[in-house]
Amino acid sequence: MKRGMRKGLTSYGDEAFSLYLRRAFIKAMGYSDDALARPIIGITNTSSDYNACHGNVPKLIEAISRGVMLAGGLPMAFPTISIHESFAHPTSMFLRNLMAIDTEEMVRAQPMDAVVLIGGCDKTVPAQLMAAASANIPALMVVTGPMMTGFYQGERLGACTDCRRLWGMYRAGELSDEAIDEVTGRLAPTTGTCMVMGTASTMACMTEALGMMLPGGATIPAVHADRLRFAERSGERAVAMVEEDLKPSDIMTESGFQNALVTLQAIGGSTNALIHITAVARRLGIELSLDAFDDIGRKVPVLVDLKPSGDHYMEHLHEAGGLNAVLRELTPHLSLDAPTVSGATLGENIATGEIVAGQTVVRTPDAPIQGQGGLAVLRGNLAPRGALIKHSAATPELLTHTGRAVVFDSLADLAQRIDDPDLDVAPDDVLVLRNAGPKGAPGMPEAGYIPIPKKLATAGVKDMVRLSDARMSGTAFGTIVLHITPESYGGGPLSLVRTGDTITLDTPARTLTLNVSEEELEQRRSTWEPPPPHPGAERGYLKLYLDSVEQADRGCDFDFM
């Protein structure tokens, strides 16, 4: 097997010339022959002035490089796409697959014997895991880590569960313009990812449980010195993985994915994570069953007292022993012999982890936050291929509910009418948003967190049943049904709902039902017309995306990947 500078030579028709030319140009950067003879460890540089979550990436690269050199390797950082949730139009999910392709191809195209992947903000970690699965050279993850909390009027705040709560108060007239402006400067006081159990923290925890991150790395705050020491250790470990030829396909096995799914339920994690982990698994030919995932949720309780399902923040989980404290309580449900990038099994990692006596952030199974896992899979005539609800962050009284549908046909329609004082809506109604799925939006935006209509918010309504084919942020809360599949843009059942129909949500029974006869639905189907094409859909990445993206139950990856 070719390694180092001899790996993946540029095609000039003469391998010796290719190597000669490569050595000439790499020497232009001052490398010695001794350095060029070492194992080469690639390091993804996802730093960007648009990405506050990745603000510490330059320091992480420096620390990883130090670890690589201490172990006798040659570190080589290289840029890839960087995605931040709040700075990606139309949505970060639209660009996840592009980042996965970019990362995979840069790993393939450039000589490296292993790669350390640096991710953080929501879609970057899954994109990199997808790339690692496809490129299949020795790889491990380092996440940027959660930011620290801020304070406003003596209250601890965190992005972005508290930002949604406070924005709801602002919409209801409970906060002034001046107050919401002041809050803006308090929600995200440091670099790093959201400090609640949003998608970024969820994917970090699942990546550690999956075995693709060294133990302890999921929860270290972005600004802690331990984050840099962890990065150094990861660089050192990457060199050893070259000699062991320990590849992602050796780590990301069916048992590893099972461990990640158990973790997702126990931490009250993000609904987005199920789409992402499905996409990663499918890159390796592993199919994850929605019904099997729901079965895990019936057996595995929520153990982490963390927003939005509880009260604490990621820094508190780290102080309580990190993810290891959770995994220790989950051992009856885990495949403890699953391999990890540390070279030890998951069970061996758990056995050597820190135990923090007296901590209260991670509960025991006999005193959980919630008796079942955080997520539930729904099915019915409205979601033949499934839908998802984060019932750990929902209003218990609304988890079984029948209400009249109030339908919004698109994101534009929602924006135009949701605050109309003449909107015909009542607290017991069910808000329905369609054409917001993978192809419909496009990009399946985090629009499932439909705002409470302003006239109801000002009257004190805090939650309603809301459903869509969109996603929602892992930081969000409420009785919200998401990922309805198949989506409405292609004529799924959601496209047939009319204002005035009644819809029944029965979370304990795992059903979502449109109370309309099959005969009436068939008649509506016969007259349904698809929405107009998206502007610009005839070319470029948008065309590739629309032609190739799959539905939520298949991970929203491209069908050719």
Side-chain angles (χ1 to χ4, degrees), residues 39-354:
I40 299 175
I41 310 300
I43 307 168
T44 60
N45 183 353
T46 54
S47 178
S48 167
D49 286 348
Y50 290 104
N51 197 337
C53 298
H54 290 207
N56 60 343
V57 166
K59 283 290 188 182
L60 291 175
I61 291 174
E62 181 182 314
I64 293 166
S65 298
R66 186 166 61 245
V68 170
M69 289 188 286
L70 286 170
L74 175 63
M76 298 287 287
F78 62 97
T80 72
I81 288 172
S82 179
I83 305 172
H84 187 278
E85 181 64 41
S86 299
F87 285 90
H89 175 80
T91 169
S92 61
M93 186 66 172
F94 178 68
L95 298 171
R96 184 202 66 180
N97 296 348
L98 183 62
M99 183 178 180
I101 291 172
D102 173 44
T103 305
E104 176 187 346
E105 294 308 321
M106 288 301 96
V107 168
R108 290 184 188 280
Q110 300 169 129
M112 62 189 77
D113 300 306
V115 61
V116 181
L117 304 157
I118 305 177
C121 195
D122 291 10
K123 311 308 175 291
T124 62
V125 172
Q128 291 173 324
L129 289 176
M130 292 160 70
S134 295
N136 204 33
I137 70 166
L140 75 166
M141 284 289 319
V142 171
V143 293
T144 57
M147 65 177 71
M148 304 299 286
T149 52
F151 288 87
Y152 175 69
Q153 295 290 307
E155 180 188 4
R156 188 186 293 267
L157 296 181
C160 197
T161 298
D162 293 318
C163 77
R164 297 178 192 282
R165 175 177 60 83
L166 293 168
W167 185 254
M169 293 172 62
Y170 173 67
R171 283 175 49 81
E174 298 173 26
L175 285 180
S176 66
D177 291 345
E178 293 76 18
I180 202 69
D181 283 345
E182 191 171 353
V183 163
T184 303
R186 308 289 184 88
L187 283 165
T190 74
T191 190
T193 58
C194 292
M195 65 290 268
V196 298
M197 193 55 75
T199 307
S201 296
T202 300
M203 288 307 305
C205 289
M206 292 177 70
T207 300
E208 184 175 333
L210 179 62
M212 285 296 291
M213 185 191 302
L214 291 181
T219 61
I220 306 168
V223 296
H224 276 204
D226 277 346
R227 174 56 64 191
L228 299 178
R229 282 188 279 268
F230 177 83
E232 180 183 299
R233 195 163 77 249
S234 297
E236 186 175 1
R237 178 60 190 154
V239 178
M241 289 174 66
V242 174
E243 295 305 315
E244 298 168 14
D245 195 27
L246 186 60
K247 300 184 294 294
S249 59
D250 301 318
I251 303 298
M252 293 194 282
T253 61
E254 289 191 17
S255 60
F257 284 108
Q258 172 80 5
N259 290 338
L261 293 175
V262 168
T263 300
L264 173 56
Q265 291 285 20
I267 61 179
S270 168
T271 50
N272 290 314
L274 186 57
I275 294 178
H276 297 321
I277 203 68
T278 298
V280 177
R282 287 176 57 79
R283 289 290 182 101
L284 292 162
I286 298 173
E287 297 289 341
L288 302 183
S289 162
L290 285 177
D291 293 332
F293 175 68
D294 187 72
D295 188 55
I296 291 172
R298 292 180 183 273
K299 300 172 183 175
V300 175
V302 176
L303 299 180
V304 182
D305 187 5
L306 205 73
K307 290 189 174 187
S309 297
D311 293 326
H312 293 94
Y313 297 89
M314 286 297 292
E315 62 194 78
H316 302 125
L317 176 58
H318 182 62
E319 292 163 2
L323 183 67
N324 191 73
V326 186
L327 296 177
R328 190 182 304 110
E329 300 296 340
L330 293 174
T331 51
H333 305 283
L334 297 172
S335 296
L336 298 176
D337 59 351
T340 75
V341 293
S342 73
T345 65
L346 182 67
E348 289 168 336
N349 288 343
I350 294 171
T352 58
E354 180 184 12

Side-chain angles (χ1 to χ4, degrees), residues 373-398:
L375 307 180
V377 176
L378 308 172
R379 294 190 186 272
N381 68 345
L382 201 48
R385 286 167 55 182
L388 207 58
I389 185 170
K390 188 172 184 176
H391 55 148
S392 64
T395 301
E397 296 78 17
L398 290 176

